[in-house]
Amino acid sequence: MVDLHDERYAAAGNRGNYREDMLARRRLVDLMFQRFDANADGHVDSSELSQVIKQEGLTKTVSDCTLFDLLKYNDQDDDEHLTKDEFYTAFDVFQVFLPEEQRLLVTTVTVGQSVVLTCSITGEPRPPILWSRHAHTLNTLQLEDISIPSQDFGDDGSLYITKVTTTHMGNYSCHADGYPQLSQTHTLQVNVPPVIRVHPESQAREPGVTASLRCHAEGIPPPQLAWLKNGMDITSQLSKQLTLQANGSEVHISNVHFEDTGAYTCIAKNEAGVDEDISSLFVEDSARKTLANILWREEGLGIGNMFYVFYEDGIKVIQPVACEIQRHIKPSEKLLGRQEEVCPKQEGEEEQRCVWSSAVNVKDKYIYATQPLLNRVLIVDIHSQKAVQTVATDAVPVKLHYDRSHDQVWLLSWGDMQKSSPTLQVIGQASASSSHHTVHTQPMGKHFDRVEDFYIPPPNLLVSHVRFGMVLHKDEASLHKLDLETASYVGNISLRDYGCVPQALAYTHLGGYYFVSCRGDEATGAPRPQLVVDGVTDRVIGTNGDVSGTPYASPDGRRLVTVDDGAGLLRVQEVSWRGQLGRPFDVHTNLHLADVAFAPSFTAAGEYDAFGSSASQTDALFVELRSGTVRLIKSLRPPLPPSRWPWGPPNRAMVAAGLFGQYLATPAQRSLFVLDGRLDKVNCEIRDIAQGNTVVWVGEP
């Protein structure tokens, strides 16, 4: 009967839609009821059914069923006629309801817990419920941590998330199948207990000098900070000599006295929990050497808190406070216990020199550095400050990334300077003292030579484990998802609908978004807007408004900074604690930024500032991300020309000094500049460092 009416009365272009589209089914059944209800009294009885049988010629059918069976089986109240609701039931049309006050619900859950989102849409009979995230239907996706049990087995269509993470935050919408216009939105707020770090853990000071104790805490919502001294609230002891700075994240003591000795406890608290840590201060006369100040090391005087600079004449270890060179590993120096040299002299070279392309810190124990012309990775032991091992690689290794979650170093090699056979390799157990070797990832389509680049999100205070990375293939409008645990490809995210060949990525755990920079239009050269990819569904959400350029995400995931060199802009967007991306504020600059680094704010608790290096000029850029304040750091020297740095951008790195570091390092052609991030100025210039564009920070082991 429905097929008959669809064929006779539906518009030609809409025929058959009722099978998949509930709205089309309802319109068709409404038309049927109108035709059956001859006297328009809102009921269909047996006499009206008889008329339809005669009019439509239904006296003979191939089925044993007749229209009278509608009354036999669907007259729910046995009053010998059918209402429209009973008619809907007969033809599987659902009536759905949602109270207005329940259109938007907020659910708060603590990270690591499980949560059930129940759709409040009801109907008779109960309609199938469809769930979506960023307009992508979840019911048909096979997701590890999100499930929607089939209603065929008696479930109510609820959405289940196991072991909630911050990537799950955001909006989830539900609607009855065929009724997308009536939907309910569930906003999932994921709270995270505070995680706290203090610096220094212990320090000794002589009477009369200044002492500073800093506390950095992150959590969702942002935690409130409080300080205790020897178990007592410090606020009652505040004075001109003892003050709280940077929104309470720093205890500043000028002209310290013996009675300032104590255990200073920083406490961070939010709705999800509490964390605390102790920073100890010992005020000791210089003549009284105790165990405390024997064990304590001034910042920069131990083996940690150093910049390692890899340049033509080897490796220099630089203490940034006084800009002292603590160690110079020369090209001719032999590896510890071996005959190999750090940088063996190449055939045809007049002088023995080093060529480096990248380096990474492995748990403050080792530094891995690529030597592209030697087809190897050099490993430097941080404790002894000596080169200890080399690892053979595919030809021309150019990029490294340390995956702390799995203690492995990922390595991109070009094969040759024309990038004709690039490969991706991994070195496992990178922090172990044993001998190392590389392992290839599996080929894609039996080809190794398509890898253009790769991206692995860095961990942070709140997210210690990273499961997946992304691989970019040459000239392909797609992202290839890489399982870091198995070193195998597990999926492909197509960007073809947007014509986007990816060039660079950034990631925030707040909502699980990847921000993808796309190659410009080949015909016109016009920039393409960034794409936003949902890391939960592995689907493209859409474009990031009109934002285009290279993305960088702050360590806490709260700020997205995009360098749009073509427009002369640095664009800053905030990501909210509910995973919502804000509108950008723009910083106009003609510096042609090469690299961006983030350093903790010295004026606001739990915030970060951005520092940018110029690819062509002698200034650096400082941006206070919280307020938008911008300053230039002047009087640097010109950077390396891109032609003298063939290993890919940036031609001038900007490297920050960790969570509590005050300093940053950025190279010039033949020197290295150390910047003071607290004062936003140059701290010093260290000369005779040519080609020093590979810099690594090493904190306290």
Side-chain angles (χ1 to χ4, degrees):
M1 179 55 66
V2 179
D3 282 340
L4 177 67
H5 277 74
D6 183 56
E7 183 179 343
R8 291 185 180 179
Y9 303 109
N14 296 327
R15 288 173 186 165
N17 288 355
Y18 78 90
R19 294 186 180 91
E20 302 294 336
D21 187 340
M22 184 63 69
L23 287 177
R25 175 183 287 269
R26 180 174 179 173
R27 285 193 292 267
L28 190 58
V29 172
D30 282 343
L31 175 63
M32 291 170 57
F33 187 83
Q34 183 180 353
R35 296 192 67 254
F36 285 24
D37 183 15
N39 61 7
D41 66 350
H43 301 85
V44 175
D45 57 25
S46 58
S47 62
E48 290 171 318
L49 290 176
S50 297
Q51 293 180 37
V52 174
I53 291 173
K54 292 178 182 179
Q55 292 170 1
E56 303 292 349
L58 300 176
T59 53
K60 295 181 180 180
T61 68
V62 296
S63 169
D64 292 334
C65 298
T66 71
L67 283 184
F68 294 117
D69 287 325
L70 288 173
L71 279 173
K72 182 178 180 181
Y73 294 108
N74 299 105
D75 182 13
Q76 297 175 359
D77 54 6
D78 296 324
D79 61 355
E80 298 186 354
H81 59 252
L82 297 172
T83 64
K84 182 177 278 191
D85 286 347
E86 291 170 331
F87 212 68
Y88 281 162
T89 301
F91 292 100
D92 292 330
V93 175
F94 305 108
Q95 289 274 63
V96 295
F97 308 95
L98 177 65
E100 185 67 29
E101 67 273 11
Q102 294 189 29
R103 284 184 175 266
L104 174 62
L105 296 179
V106 177
T107 301
T108 301
V109 62
T110 300
V111 69
Q113 296 179 344
S114 297
V115 67
V116 180
L117 303 181
T118 299
C119 193
S120 302
I121 294 174
T122 58
E124 289 295 337
R126 186 176 64 189
I129 298 297
L130 299 180
W131 286 90
S132 63
R133 175 180 158 99
H134 301 301
H136 291 289
T137 302
L138 299 175
N139 298 62
T140 56
L141 298 181
Q142 300 297 317
L143 302 176
E144 283 188 2
D145 42 13
I146 296 180
S147 62
I148 307 168
S150 172
Q151 291 174 247
D152 294 338
F153 298 98
D155 204 277
D156 61 357
S158 294
L159 182 146
Y160 296 78
I161 306 177
T162 57
K163 293 184 179 179
V164 170
T165 70
T166 51
T167 62
H168 293 118
M169 66 174 57
N171 291 338
Y172 295 80
S173 297
C174 65
H175 66 267
D177 188 10
Y179 291 84
Q181 76 281 5
L182 183 65
S183 65
Q184 181 182 43
T185 299
H186 290 254
T187 297
L188 184 63
Q189 166 76 46
V190 180
N191 286 349
V192 183
V195 178
I196 204 168
R197 296 288 184 272
V198 296
H199 180 80
E201 292 183 1
S202 177
Q203 62 178 309
R205 286 287 187 261
E206 296 181 5
V209 302
T210 296
S212 178
L213 305 93
R214 297 177 61 195
C215 179
H216 183 93
E218 294 180 16
I220 302 175
Q224 299 295 313
L225 297 182
W227 286 89
L228 306 178
K229 178 188 174 184
N230 298 328
M232 303 294 292
D233 188 349
I234 204 173
T235 55
S236 61
Q237 306 174 49
L238 296 179
S239 64
K240 289 184 178 181
Q241 185 237 354
L242 175 64
T243 59
L244 290 178
Q245 299 182 359
N247 292 82
S249 63
E250 180 177 349
V251 175
H252 186 81
I253 310 172
S254 59
N255 189 26
V256 298
H257 307 302
F258 291 116
E259 55 267 28
D260 293 319
T261 294
Y264 292 78
T265 304
C266 181
I267 301 174
K269 181 185 297 185
N270 69 5
E271 297 171 14
V274 180
D275 194 18
E276 63 181 53
D277 203 355
I278 295 175
S279 178
S280 297
L281 172 64
F282 300 90
V283 181
E284 297 283 353
D285 196 336
S286 59
R288 297 170 56 192
K289 296 292 184 182
T290 66
L291 179 62
N293 59 12
I294 290 173
L295 294 176
W296 174 78
R297 293 172 294 187
E298 288 277 1
E299 181 182 18
L301 296 182
I303 59 172
N305 297 324
M306 305 281 186
F307 285 111
Y308 279 64
V309 185
F310 296 76
Y311 72 114
E312 278 189 356
D313 195 30
I315 308 166
K316 279 185 176 175
V317 184
I318 296 171
Q319 188 260 47
V321 181
C323 296
E324 295 175 348
I325 299 173
Q326 299 290 308
R327 173 93 162 89
H328 182 190
I329 304 174
K330 295 187 176 181
S332 58
E333 184 173 316
K334 293 202 168 33
L335 274 63
L336 188 65
R338 306 189 183 201
Q339 292 303 307
E340 288 181 276
E341 292 183 335
V342 169
C343 301
K345 190 173 183 179
Q346 300 295 292
E347 187 176 348
E349 281 186 344
E350 294 183 4
E351 297 182 9
Q352 189 170 353
R353 67 186 185 92
C354 299
V355 176
W356 315 92
S357 54
S358 67
V360 291
N361 180 338
V362 175
K363 287 189 178 178
D364 289 327
K365 294 176 65 177
Y366 298 102
I367 296 176
Y368 283 54
T370 49
Q371 297 181 293
L373 302 186
L374 299 175
N375 303 331
R376 72 183 194 181
V377 168
L378 182 77
I379 301 178
V380 177
D381 180 275
I382 291 172
H383 183 76
S384 64
Q385 295 184 343
K386 291 181 179 293
V388 295
Q389 189 183 154
T390 60
V391 181
T393 69
D394 289 342
V396 194
V398 293
K399 178 179 176 178
L400 295 173
H401 178 90
Y402 177 56
D403 170 21
R404 178 180 285 269
S405 302
H406 304 93
D407 192 27
Q408 53 194 12
V409 171
W410 289 84
L411 164 67
L412 172 66
S413 299
W414 285 348
D416 53 40
M417 293 301 293
Q418 288 72 44
K419 308 182 186 179
S420 62
S421 54
T423 57
L424 192 59
Q425 296 173 283
V426 61
I427 303 172
Q429 297 182 318
S431 67
S433 58
S434 56
S435 181
H436 294 91
H437 63 278
T438 61
V439 176
H440 283 100
T441 58
Q442 68 179 43
M444 285 291 292
K446 299 183 179 179
H447 289 279
F448 280 107
D449 57 354
R450 293 179 177 174
V451 179
E452 181 80 6
D453 201 355
F454 70 95
Y455 175 77
I456 298 174
N460 57 34
L461 280 184
L462 301 185
V463 180
S464 59
H465 185 80
V466 176
R467 172 83 182 275
F468 300 104
M470 295 291 181
V471 178
L472 288 59
H473 282 189
K474 186 176 182 180
D475 297 328
E476 283 191 19
S478 62
L479 297 171
H480 299 276
K481 191 173 183 179
L482 185 67
D483 188 325
L484 300 175
E485 294 179 359
T486 61
S488 59
Y489 292 100
V490 293
N492 174 63
I493 302 172
S494 175
L495 312 179
R496 203 174 290 274
D497 290 346
Y498 297 85
C500 173
V501 176
Q503 287 188 306
L505 284 82
Y507 176 81
T508 174
H509 67 99
L510 300 174
Y513 303 128
Y514 290 91
F515 301 94
V516 185
S517 171
C518 304
R519 192 166 68 192
D521 187 281
E522 292 185 0
T524 65
R528 295 183 187 273
Q530 286 177 1
L531 296 184
V532 184
V533 173
D534 182 6
V536 173
T537 61
D538 292 341
R539 299 293 191 273
V540 179
I541 298 172
T543 61
N544 183 13
D546 63 349
V547 176
S548 62
T550 305
Y552 301 84
S554 62
D556 59 358
R558 287 288 313 282
R559 301 288 194 283
L560 177 71
V561 175
T562 298
V563 175
D564 185 348
D565 200 40
L569 293 175
L570 184 138
R571 315 194 73 179
V572 180
Q573 294 170 272
E574 182 177 0
V575 184
S576 77
W577 297 118
R578 290 184 174 177
Q580 296 167 332
L581 185 62
R583 295 180 59 84
F585 75 79
D586 294 341
V587 176
H588 294 266
T589 174
N590 62 355
L591 288 182
H592 303 289
L593 295 175
D595 196 13
V596 173
F598 297 92
S601 171
F602 285 89
T603 59
E607 294 284 351
Y608 286 87
D609 299 327
F611 292 80
S613 61
S614 172
S616 58
Q617 300 183 37
T618 58
D619 296 337
L621 184 71
F622 163 81
V623 181
E624 188 177 75
L625 298 178
R626 179 177 58 95
S627 66
T629 300
V630 178
R631 286 190 287 274
L632 289 180
I633 302 174
K634 293 182 171 293
S635 302
L636 282 67
R637 296 184 187 275
L640 276 171
S643 60
R644 291 183 57 195
W645 186 257
W647 316 118
N651 66 311
R652 178 180 237 165
M654 179 69 77
V655 179
L659 186 60
F660 290 102
Q662 182 172 336
Y663 300 96
L664 301 96
T666 188
Q669 288 190 36
R670 302 197 62 83
S671 63
L672 181 85
F673 282 86
V674 177
L675 309 182
D676 188 327
R678 186 163 199 154
L679 302 178
D680 310 327
K681 69 180 186 66
V682 172
N683 187 48
C684 64
E685 178 188 9
I686 300 174
R687 302 288 185 93
D688 299 324
I689 297 182
Q691 299 278 122
N693 199 37
T694 301
V695 184
V696 172
W697 170 256
V698 173
E700 287 288 355

